[in-house]
Amino acid sequence: MATRILPRRDTPYRAALYGRASSDPKKRGRSIRDQFAVGEVECDDHSWAIVDYYEDRDRSASRAAKQEREDFNRLVSDIKAGLVDIVVYAERSRASRRLDVSLELRTLCEDTNVLLCYDGRIYNMHVPADRKEFTRDAVQSEEEAESIIGRSQRTARLNAQRGAPHSYAPFGYTRRYDPEDGHLLGQFPHPTQAVDVVEMFERVASGESISSVVSTLQKHRPRASLTSLRVILKNRSYLGVRMYKGQEMPNCQWEPITDDPDWPELFEQVQHILKDSSRKTMRENRLVHLLSGLAWCAPCLKAGKRLPESVLRVSRRQGAARYRCPTASGHVMILKEVLDAYVEASVIEWLSSPAATAALGPKQDVSQIRKLQNRIVSMKEQLETARSMAGELDDDGRPRLSIASLATTERLLLPQVERDEIELSRLLTPQDALLGRLAGVPVKELHRTWGQLKLSEQRRVLRSVVNIELRPASSHGERRFRSERVGLTFRGAPGFVSPSDRSGVGRD
């Protein structure tokens, strides 16, 4: 169709150039630059003045889009503000692949007298023929997008069934392609990134904070965040496992990130750390008090309050800092410096004792962990087989396994699975390198080492080895400190609540 001839104006039309690319992994914007080059030719041919460029990289315009198109939204705002006379983009699908968004753009251009130019043609939404053709293009763009989504989903499902990789290569892996036809040959550990991946897992397992480990990732990805690192630490691809919609798929076509036989145990150890709710409740860099969030009000716990709701808070009265009960009634209160000193001295004394060495010493060996893992898998497979047989009929129309037999199987196996999973969780509880360095050291040396620790490190030790409860004074207004007011339960002793269980209810 012939290009529409626009009326002459005393001032040139103000043109906005819009470009979009669904995929731009290397952030080079080549496709968008090509789109802008097409638009610049159009503007040069018609003597339009380019007022701005709007580009959305790595942004889909279909219903499958997961991110906002910031520059498209900015373009819409500028159209409403009267800053644009004509919008130029290379082809019909660049503006949108959703019919509803295209119709909103059509209405906006009609209301504001803004023209559209794409595929070498100018569209005026006040002209019925242009409205009709634009609408037809919008419908076709959406149909194309739906076809692309369908093909992508089928490809993803097929690759999952084959155990083949899909989408981008995980950090630490690289992919090789056939130089002749470009087909994927496989996914392999990256020569340098793979080493860093293993190092990050080892550092987290040894007790380092995630915020300190993220610097290793930032050597390769300067904009990496704590969230980025957590995604990597949870990625089961590093085990040589193909995941699809939360399920492990058979026949994975790539190897684990390392051939170290202890790698699966290290990976699971890190998962245990990441699930530790106590690591997410406080931001250590914002804390200035040793026992904030670590010491609890004993009456609150006895009343059945959840542990996080029972932690002591710091308040200042007459210039002195005190730990106090979080409730309005205030069950307990004590001078901050007094409780800090007592807890520090008690913990240092415990760390030097044989009890600390026993509680913080090495766990069971790897063979025991593997034995439990294999037994759990075997029992779960038996349960799945039994449930499957109970749902299948034989030639006579009867279940291959009776409901009574299934119930008996579950009654026998489920408690064993639960016990073994609890034991496995205990064995996988990470050994903090800092705790290992402190356990069994003489008291005199421990006092010196404790004073050299950062506040965050001191708190990490306390959280890991002791439960602290503050009890009410024996009489109202009592000022003399009595050690009976402070209940300390150390790791390994009956009643100790581990950090990962501190979201539970109060204790008797």
Side-chain angles (χ1 to χ4, degrees):
M1 187 173 292
T3 300
R4 182 175 299 281
I5 303 300
L6 298 180
R8 291 187 176 275
R9 302 193 339 171
D10 294 335
T11 57
Y13 283 84
R14 297 167 299 172
L17 268 59
Y18 179 74
R20 179 186 63 80
S22 297
S23 178
D24 187 17
K26 296 186 178 179
K27 311 299 179 186
R28 294 176 179 174
R30 288 177 177 173
S31 173
I32 294 178
R33 287 203 299 269
D34 292 342
Q35 294 173 43
F36 284 157
V38 172
E40 289 167 350
V41 171
E42 289 284 355
C43 293
D44 187 58
D45 288 345
H46 295 87
S47 299
W48 297 334
I50 300 174
V51 294
D52 208 345
Y53 292 79
Y54 304 79
E55 58 179 291
D56 285 314
R57 299 183 184 180
D58 272 334
R59 294 292 186 272
S60 169
S62 72
R63 65 175 176 84
K66 298 180 180 179
Q67 294 177 295
E68 287 285 332
R69 289 190 289 157
E70 294 87 352
D71 262 25
F72 182 79
N73 294 337
R74 183 169 67 89
L75 171 62
V76 169
S77 298
D78 288 352
I79 291 174
K80 292 178 179 179
L83 304 178
V84 177
D85 297 319
I86 186 166
V87 179
V88 183
Y89 46 100
E91 56 187 36
R92 66 188 182 198
S93 63
R94 294 304 96 191
S96 181
R97 287 187 178 274
R98 287 177 48 180
L99 182 59
D100 57 339
V101 175
S102 297
L103 295 181
E104 290 175 1
L105 177 62
R106 186 186 71 179
T107 301
L108 176 62
C109 290
E110 183 179 14
D111 293 342
T112 57
N113 297 316
V114 169
L115 305 173
L116 297 176
C117 177
Y118 62 87
D119 290 333
R121 183 172 171 217
I122 302 168
Y123 294 82
N124 184 341
M125 295 300 110
H126 289 283
V127 177
D130 288 358
R131 285 171 55 86
K132 181 178 180 181
E133 188 166 348
F134 174 82
T135 304
R136 184 201 65 193
D137 290 344
V139 171
Q140 291 180 350
S141 294
E142 185 175 75
E143 289 177 346
E144 292 169 358
E146 292 302 310
S147 297
I148 293 172
I149 292 173
R151 287 197 301 271
S152 177
Q153 291 175 342
R154 289 192 296 272
T155 301
R157 185 167 60 252
L158 180 60
N159 283 338
Q161 292 171 348
R162 294 173 175 172
H166 189 69
S167 188
Y168 301 119
F171 176 77
Y173 281 102
T174 185
R175 290 178 183 169
R176 299 173 190 166
Y177 297 87
D178 190 310
E180 298 295 331
D181 56 21
H183 287 160
L184 178 66
L185 296 177
Q187 180 168 281
F188 307 91
H190 191 281
T192 57
Q193 292 180 3
V195 176
D196 285 338
V197 168
V198 176
E199 178 192 333
M200 290 188 291
F201 274 85
E202 290 175 340
R203 290 173 62 186
V204 173
S206 70
E208 288 193 46
S209 66
I210 294 180
S211 57
S212 66
V213 177
V214 74
S215 60
T216 299
L217 180 59
Q218 288 171 341
K219 293 190 303 182
H220 304 276
R221 297 179 177 178
R223 300 179 65 181
S225 63
L226 293 178
T227 301
S228 306
L229 179 56
R230 280 185 169 272
V231 169
I232 287 175
L233 294 175
K234 293 180 178 180
N235 193 342
R236 301 191 71 80
S237 296
Y238 298 121
L239 291 173
V241 172
R242 175 65 158 93
M243 302 294 296
Y244 180 66
K245 294 186 176 180
Q247 299 293 323
E248 290 190 10
M249 306 300 292
N251 306 319
C252 182
Q253 293 184 8
W254 65 87
E255 297 298 323
I257 197 75
T258 174
D259 57 5
D260 187 334
D262 294 335
W263 170 242
E265 283 70 38
L266 177 63
F267 184 93
E268 295 302 333
Q269 189 176 349
V270 171
Q271 306 317 299
H272 190 82
I273 293 173
L274 296 176
K275 292 177 183 177
D276 185 349
S277 60
S278 67
R279 296 172 63 92
K280 307 173 187 177
T281 55
M282 292 287 177
R283 295 202 174 185
E284 300 289 350
N285 58 345
R286 295 183 180 179
L287 293 170
V288 295
H289 305 293
L290 180 66
L291 302 179
S292 295
L294 300 182
W296 308 323
C297 170
C300 284
L301 290 181
K302 189 173 183 179
K305 286 197 172 185
R306 297 174 66 87
L307 295 180
E309 298 170 355
S310 307
V311 295
L312 302 184
R313 298 175 180 175
V314 175
S315 65
R316 291 186 178 274
R317 294 186 179 182
Q318 300 177 349
R322 291 176 168 84
Y323 292 113
R324 66 181 302 275
C325 170
T327 63
S329 57
H331 297 120
V332 296
M333 185 166 60
I334 192 171
L335 282 172
K336 174 185 176 299
E337 61 183 18
V338 171
L339 186 59
D340 285 354
Y342 178 77
V343 170
E344 281 186 342
S346 300
V347 168
I348 289 174
E349 182 178 355
W350 180 83
L351 284 170
S352 67
S353 69
T357 304
L360 303 177
K363 297 288 185 180
Q364 298 285 343
D365 61 6
V366 173
S367 62
Q368 176 67 8
I369 293 175
R370 288 177 177 168
K371 180 179 178 181
L372 281 172
Q373 289 174 328
N374 292 335
R375 192 162 64 192
I376 291 170
V377 170
S378 177
M379 287 190 290
K380 286 185 175 180
E381 287 177 350
Q382 291 182 53
L383 285 168
E384 287 302 315
T385 300
R387 289 163 181 161
S388 177
M389 292 175 64
E392 298 174 357
L393 303 179
D394 59 19
D395 295 338
D396 297 328
R398 293 175 298 184
R400 294 180 58 197
L401 185 71
S402 68
I403 298 300
S405 297
L406 174 61
T408 300
T409 302
E410 290 183 332
R411 187 170 62 253
L412 292 173
L413 293 183
L414 286 177
Q416 295 182 48
V417 170
E418 183 178 359
R419 286 194 297 269
D420 282 358
E421 287 182 334
I422 293 174
E423 177 64 10
L424 180 62
S425 177
R426 185 186 71 81
L427 294 178
L428 290 174
T429 300
Q431 291 300 291
D432 193 313
L434 175 59
L435 297 181
R437 183 156 52 92
L438 298 176
V441 176
V443 170
K444 185 176 181 180
E445 184 178 341
L446 273 175
H447 274 288
R448 182 173 62 255
T449 303
W450 183 266
Q452 296 172 347
L453 296 179
K454 298 177 182 178
L455 177 64
S456 61
E457 293 174 322
Q458 293 176 344
R459 287 175 52 81
R460 197 170 90 211
V461 172
L462 296 177
R463 182 189 294 115
S464 300
V465 306
V466 66
N467 297 161
I468 309 162
E469 297 180 14
L470 182 62
R471 300 160 183 157
S474 57
S475 60
H476 183 70
E478 181 182 27
R479 296 192 175 186
R480 181 182 175 186
F481 172 73
R482 296 179 182 274
S483 60
E484 294 81 6
R485 290 195 61 195
V486 184
L488 301 179
T489 306
F490 288 98
R491 185 165 170 172
F496 176 76
V497 181
S498 66
S500 59
D501 294 332
R502 290 183 186 176
S503 59
V505 297
R507 301 177 289 133
D508 294 332

